[in-house]
Amino acid sequence: MDTGPSHLSHRRAMGADALVLMGRFCISALFVTGAAQKIYAPEIVQQMLAAHHWVEFLIWPAVALNLLGAIFLVTGFFLVPTALILAGYCMVTSIFHFLPDDPWQMSIFVKNWAIAGGLLILAAAELRAPRG
């Protein structure tokens, strides 16, 4: 059994790749459920959009972005631009949850920024060591 530096380096790389893939699946699950929620109860998101004077129709491009983003995260297709776009999406949509008097909404606000951070790290990791 080879336990030299090359073997250990290869095992670490494989472990890191597995962790990145699991992370991509976890983040994509969030976007799939976000799309499902928007499809199942569009009026909730449409009310939030209207309250901020945004066009309610924007819910449907958001559904498409959520679904395509999830697919691209899982498959790795256009991974860097997808991660960057989804990070921006999380940052922008966090404004709907910035309600300092509502602890639940503030937790969603912070969660959106944490997801954006994870997506930025994913993009940076891919830029540093492309999968090939």
Side-chain angles (χ1 to χ4, degrees):
M1 179 173 176
D2 184 6
T3 58
S6 175
H7 179 72
L8 291 176
S9 177
H10 178 69
R11 287 183 56 191
R12 281 188 184 147
M14 287 182 58
D17 288 347
L19 290 172
V20 168
L21 182 60
M22 288 188 326
R24 288 175 21 211
F25 270 91
C26 289
I27 295 172
S28 70
L30 177 84
F31 287 103
V32 168
T33 57
Q37 289 173 326
K38 289 171 184 64
I39 292 167
Y40 179 72
E43 62 279 354
I44 295 170
V45 176
Q46 289 171 326
Q47 288 171 1
M48 288 191 334
L49 289 166
H52 286 82
H53 309 289
W54 288 36
V55 179
E56 293 177 26
F57 179 78
L58 288 175
I59 188 174
W60 304 116
V63 167
L65 178 64
N66 278 241
L67 289 174
L68 284 174
I71 292 167
F72 287 0
L73 284 176
V74 168
T75 62
F77 191 64
F78 292 128
L79 187 55
V80 172
T82 298
L84 294 174
I85 290 167
L86 290 175
Y89 172 80
C90 287
M91 291 174 193
V92 169
T93 59
S94 72
I95 65 169
F96 298 113
H97 304 286
F98 186 75
L99 301 169
D101 294 335
D102 185 339
W104 181 255
Q105 290 299 316
M106 288 307 293
S107 70
I108 296 171
F109 173 83
V110 172
K111 176 199 65 141
N112 276 13
W113 281 89
I115 295 163
L119 288 161
L120 293 172
I121 291 168
L122 177 61
E126 181 66 14
L127 287 171
R128 180 171 292 177
R131 291 171 283 101

